[in-house]
Amino acid sequence: MDLAFNDEQRVLHDAIVQIVTPHMDIPRSGPTVKPVEFMYADRLDHELAEGEFFSIALIDGCGLLEAAMLVYETARAPLVIEAAGSALIGALLTGEALPRPVAVARMEDLPRAVRFLDRARTLIVDMGDDVAIVSTDGLPIAPVHTMFAYPMGRVLEKVDLSGSRRLGPSAVPRLRHLCRLAIALETAGAMQSAIDFTTQYVKDRRVFGRPVGSFQAVQHRLAADLQKARGCYWLAMRAAWSDVPADAEIATLYAQRAIKAVNYDTHQFNGALGMTLEHALHFWTFRLRILQGELGGARAQATTLAETMWGDPSSVPVPVSR
Amino acid sequence: MDFGWTTSDDAYRAELVSFLTQELPNNWWDSFAYDGPSGPELMNNAGSFNRKLAQKDLIVRHWPQAYGGQDAGAWKQIIVSEEMWSRGEPRSSLYLGANWAGPAIMKFGTEAQKHRFLRPIADGEVLWCQGFSEPEAGTDLANMKTRAEPDGDGYVINGSKVWTSYAARADTMFLLARVGATGKGGVSCFILPVDAAGITVRPIPAIHSPHDFNEVFFTDVRVPADARLGEEGQGWDIVTTILHYERIGAARYEFSRRTLDHIVTHLKARGLFDDPAIRGECSKALAEVEAARLLTYVVIDGRAKNLPPSADTYVARYSMIQADHAVANLSSTYLPDLLTHDGDGMLRAHFTAAITAGIAAGAAEVQLNMISGRYLGLPHGA
Ligand SMILES: Cc1cc2nc3c(=O)[nH]c(=O)nc-3n(C[C@H](O)[C@H](O)[C@H](O)COP(=O)(O)OP(=O)(O)OC[C@H]3O[C@@H](n4cnc5c(N)ncnc54)[C@H](O)[C@@H]3O)c2cc1C
């Protein structure tokens, strides 16, 4: 076992971080923060596209782990870009660099708000028994204004996918597996940044003549949140390394469960300022809010995982110890 | 980044598993291990078990060659811990010697002390106990009062220790006693036989075990100067450097993982696993366990690379506590009848170990304090 990146991975990781870091550096609090629910990082998107980072998984010697790095690191930025749909899900599902941005949705969710659908050029649809790859050209799509820190869109009329490209039934579990990984990685990244941001805030903000972060009631909850965030990261990276469904189910279940405490605590500790659009916290926490329920949320992951791990409820009847 | 075991790791685990399968009796859980590693049946069995383990050279392979090991390293050590702890730790408290007392002696001991103490650990001959906590010094360990007064060419020890696991049946104690000054600077380490004249051991029955806890009284216990490890006043440094890893030395997540599978087997047999809510709870416990596993592996990875100890250890320990409790709560919620004395030995051993996880080896809240200060850099509280 070696949990550090190898030389090639380190070079790639450094390159990603070098591109992403300047985009982390936006005004974080006060009237200079643009008061919007989300900011799409057009420049970051452009730079990563120029460097062909969104097709990283398709390069010889690279794959899921490299795509995972990109998804995690971009999710840490306060500004949002579409990375998981194209670099991880689209690329590994089809073996192609699909026209991006890429949105991914279950058939039944299309009339509701779908992440990135307002600007997506490709839509990947989980039809239940098949996967469709659809160009959004000519689809009746409208942006949806939400409080969530993702751009979102919805399909206005019932769409006819009968003539669309299909990947076949075997692509369905693969798509769901990759979606789980993407959720786990995005959650891990956004969560870590929300905690970092809050940690700095409670060091700076003083009440009763001392920093908020000097109260043990605050410290313990942030420390427990940090443990959860680190758990999310490592579970997600292991799942990306192994590409095993159970690992991705574990990572997503853990991540979606962790969101509740981390979101509550980080908002509590930022006080009213954290509710304003002039304070960057919501750029991460309101992404977490929507990730919390994706693919049916923790309950659905838990059900799937139980099936994967322990099979049919009555499959092993005799306890071994007595 | 590589989360896989090497072929050599796999071979080592296979060797251990084959030894354990052969050596542990069929009624292991219900007749030996149900009361944890300090239970009398397990401790009595540990003598012959450990000597056989030594014959196969399976006790100190992770030690440096100079001290009888094979430099097998940190990953091999955690494999041993996973296989042993998940079987209720059949070595009993030999593991204290192999994991940290031995390495402390290598680092701080004289040549004579190395000669005297290391071989018996490698040979599986001694069971250790750890005399740190006192009635007024648990978390606040530096408040300990037990004194070692210099006297001629040795020391005379007076005071008492409490919650001392294994003491009723151990051979050797790693003791902290105060020579001179108050506070951390006055703490020194001593290694002495538990049957030394002037030591009395009073067992304290506890909810998790009738045999684990003891109170140990020292009345004019005379020890030679070479019972002291390191310099006078160096005890705090020794304990904080060497014991850092001990917070995660027992692979609790592995025991929880295997117990969880065992719980599922019982739930299925009773038809309870048909309930999707219960299946979901098992999955959630599994996710906690796997997080604890990986966070522990992060610490082991640093150790394997000789990186200085970091705050990752407290993160891992806190995660282990969550995982242990998640699994233990499944036992007590759905299978309480199996936690009775004639219930299921494995479930009982796991449950009783799990409920102490947030107190032993530093309270959960202390782990959070350490994460706050050392990882997050939050300012000291009032
Ligand atoms: C199963 C088991 C085996 C043990 N074996 C040994 C052994 O072999 N040898 C040995 O020397 N000791 C042993 N101990 C003792 C153990 O080291 C102490 O229990 C531990 O250090 C806590 O001390 P305490 O019990 O006195 O709790 P206290 O120090 O009295 O603390 C009580 C509680 O207060 C809270 N608390 C304390 N300090 C803080 C703080 N700074 N911030 C926030 N909350 C705080 C925590 O919740 C803590 O659990 C064992 C304990 C257990 C449970």
Side-chain angles (χ1 to χ4, degrees):
Chain A
M1 223 172 291
D2 183 351
L3 303 190
F5 292 130
N6 66 26
D7 288 347
E8 292 87 45
Q9 289 164 344
R10 192 169 307 114
V11 169
L12 178 66
H13 184 254
D14 289 352
I16 294 170
V17 170
Q18 209 179 353
I19 296 175
V20 174
T21 303
H23 300 273
M24 303 274 280
D25 194 22
I26 59 159
R28 298 287 172 113
S29 196
T32 50
V33 179
K34 206 169 146 200
V36 288
E37 283 84 357
F38 73 89
M39 272 195 268
Y40 195 88
D42 290 304
R43 261 187 35 240
L44 174 60
D45 189 310
H46 181 72
E47 282 171 37
L48 289 169
E50 290 263 280
E52 299 188 5
F53 283 92
F54 296 111
S55 45
I56 193 87
L58 305 175
I59 295 170
D60 231 13
C62 292
L64 197 42
L65 192 70
E66 286 70 18
M69 260 182 221
L70 180 73
V71 174
Y72 175 79
E73 291 302 337
T74 51
R76 297 202 57 191
L79 291 81
V80 68
I81 60 162
E82 185 284 295
S86 42
L88 197 150
I89 301 169
L92 287 149
L93 189 67
T94 64
E96 298 161 29
L98 298 170
R100 57 181 302 282
V102 173
V104 186
R106 296 184 296 194
M107 191 70 189
E108 64 268 31
D109 290 335
L110 287 180
R112 305 176 190 138
V114 174
R115 295 190 286 139
F116 301 111
L117 191 54
D118 63 330
R119 63 200 61 211
R121 290 174 60 211
T122 305
L123 172 61
I124 301 177
V125 186
D126 179 343
M127 303 173 71
D129 54 359
D130 205 340
V131 174
I133 308 286
V134 187
S135 162
T136 55
D137 277 352
L139 280 187
I141 291 171
V144 188
H145 185 177
T146 76
M147 68 178 84
F148 303 109
Y150 285 107
M152 298 181 101
R154 76 157 61 98
V155 176
L156 295 175
E157 302 152 19
K158 197 167 166 27
V159 281
D160 176 14
L161 298 180
S162 55
S164 63
R165 176 181 168 195
R166 303 294 178 84
L167 300 181
S170 65
V172 176
R174 180 75 181 147
L175 171 63
R176 291 179 189 169
H177 168 63
L178 294 170
C179 285
R180 283 196 188 94
L181 263 169
I183 294 166
L185 288 158
E186 282 194 50
T187 301
M191 193 178 273
Q192 185 65 52
S193 287
I195 291 169
D196 291 348
F197 180 85
T198 303
T199 302
Q200 189 57 51
Y201 184 71
V202 300
K203 285 178 189 172
D204 297 340
R205 172 78 173 167
R206 296 176 75 84
V207 294
F208 303 107
R210 50 190 269 213
V212 167
S214 68
F215 289 92
Q216 202 181 52
V218 173
Q219 294 184 342
H220 280 194
R221 278 158 58 190
L222 260 189
D225 291 340
L226 188 271
Q227 179 266 312
K228 289 187 172 72
R230 299 318 293 153
C232 285
Y233 173 77
W234 286 107
L235 287 169
M237 292 309 274
R238 178 178 68 172
W241 172 83
S242 72
D243 203 4
V244 164
D247 286 345
E249 289 157 13
I250 289 171
T252 315
L253 169 58
Y254 191 83
Q256 289 185 319
R257 287 192 76 211
I259 289 171
K260 185 173 158 190
V262 174
N263 250 359
Y264 178 69
D265 291 341
T266 50
H267 270 281
Q268 283 305 114
F269 302 151
N270 281 274
L273 197 56
M275 289 289 151
T276 71
L277 293 179
E278 294 181 346
H279 196 61
L281 180 66
H282 68 100
F283 286 139
W284 299 286
T285 54
F286 273 70
R287 264 188 269 152
L288 293 175
R289 283 272 175 203
I290 202 93
L291 290 167
Q292 192 172 17
E294 292 251 316
L295 278 183
R299 191 197 54 78
Q301 317 316 329
T303 307
T304 312
L305 177 61
E307 176 84 29
T308 310
M309 292 307 300
W310 298 296
D312 163 36
S314 54
S315 61
V316 186
V318 189
V320 281
S321 166
R322 273 192 158 244
Chain B
M1 202 174 255
D2 184 352
F3 292 81
W5 296 103
T6 62
T7 341
S8 142
D9 292 337
D10 285 338
Y12 186 50
R13 192 188 293 275
E15 188 183 344
L16 266 170
V17 170
S18 137
F19 176 84
L20 286 160
T21 312
Q22 200 179 322
E23 289 304 324
L24 297 184
N26 287 337
N27 59 348
W28 172 249
W29 284 113
D30 296 326
S31 301
F32 293 87
Y34 59 93
D35 242 349
S38 54
E41 290 88 356
L42 190 148
M43 281 191 92
N44 289 339
N45 187 69
S48 61
F49 176 86
N50 288 339
R51 276 188 286 278
K52 287 184 201 157
L53 203 57
Q55 279 160 17
K56 299 269 179 196
D57 192 20
L58 286 169
I59 296 178
V60 296
R61 241 184 247 189
H62 60 281
W63 282 10
Q65 283 181 5
Y67 301 112
Q70 294 182 18
D71 281 313
W75 290 112
K76 297 278 193 302
Q77 189 179 347
I78 198 74
I79 289 173
V80 175
S81 183
E82 288 183 355
E83 295 305 326
M84 294 293 176
W85 194 258
S86 63
R87 286 177 178 80
E89 190 50 88
R91 296 175 296 176
S92 186
S93 59
L94 173 71
Y95 84 90
L96 300 183
N99 279 10
W100 63 265
I105 293 161
M106 287 171 212
K107 188 153 182 206
F108 299 99
T110 60
E111 286 310 309
Q113 287 173 324
K114 290 176 193 172
H115 187 74
R116 181 151 36 113
F117 295 118
L118 296 181
R119 193 72 247 168
I121 297 175
D123 289 344
E125 305 260 316
V126 273
L127 295 178
W128 287 71
C129 66
Q130 171 186 329
F132 291 7
S133 305
E134 297 182 10
E136 298 302 321
T139 304
D140 190 6
L141 187 58
N143 195 37
M144 42 168 274
K145 306 259 179 330
T146 297
R147 298 193 69 81
E149 292 295 343
D151 183 76
D153 57 357
Y155 296 88
V156 174
I157 302 172
N158 279 289
S160 70
K161 295 287 164 180
V162 75
W163 326 128
T164 322
S165 303
Y166 308 107
R169 286 171 193 79
D171 309 294
T172 305
M173 176 181 281
F174 194 105
L175 172 78
L176 295 185
R178 189 171 290 294
V179 184
T182 54
K184 295 174 184 171
V187 176
S188 300
C189 293
F190 293 87
I191 300 175
L192 67 165
V194 181
D195 63 0
I199 294 184
T200 49
V201 178
R202 179 180 80 88
I204 309 175
I207 194 84
H208 72 283
S209 160
H211 308 290
D212 187 29
F213 280 164
N214 300 279
E215 190 162 13
V216 184
F217 299 94
F218 300 80
T219 311
D220 294 333
V221 177
R222 189 166 287 280
V223 294
D226 70 356
R228 194 194 68 233
L229 183 71
E231 301 300 320
E232 282 185 4
Q234 204 185 359
W236 196 263
D237 284 347
I238 295 179
V239 165
T240 45
T241 47
I242 294 292
L243 272 183
H244 188 85
Y245 289 112
E246 205 36 39
R247 292 176 195 274
I248 53 131
R252 288 173 166 273
Y253 55 88
E254 187 65 28
F255 194 11
S256 285
R257 177 72 186 79
R258 296 185 194 190
T259 303
L260 178 57
D261 282 342
H262 192 55
I263 288 172
V264 168
T265 312
H266 278 298
L267 293 173
K268 284 184 173 184
R270 294 177 174 203
L272 290 169
F273 209 61
D274 295 340
D275 182 339
I278 294 181
R279 291 205 297 277
E281 282 185 56
C282 292
S283 294
K284 289 171 190 168
L286 174 62
E288 295 288 343
V289 170
E290 290 304 301
R293 174 193 303 283
L294 288 179
L295 291 169
T296 303
Y297 288 170
V298 170
V299 179
I300 303 298
D301 191 52
R303 190 176 191 180
K305 292 169 180 159
N306 286 322
L307 300 175
S310 79
D312 284 330
T313 309
Y314 311 112
V315 177
R317 176 76 194 185
Y318 188 71
S319 188
M320 273 196 201
I321 298 167
Q322 307 310 304
D324 263 15
H325 279 270
V327 173
N329 278 306
L330 290 172
S331 294
S332 55
T333 306
Y334 300 113
L335 303 166
D337 55 306
L338 296 180
L339 297 176
T340 55
H341 288 253
D342 58 353
D344 181 303
M346 182 189 196
L347 288 195
R348 200 169 133 207
H350 176 270
F351 184 83
T352 51
I355 56 172
T356 66
I359 302 168
E365 291 73 19
V366 172
Q367 314 303 323
L368 294 176
N369 287 345
M370 301 304 270
I371 298 170
S372 306
R374 303 211 179 160
Y375 203 122
L376 298 174
L378 293 175
H380 272 299

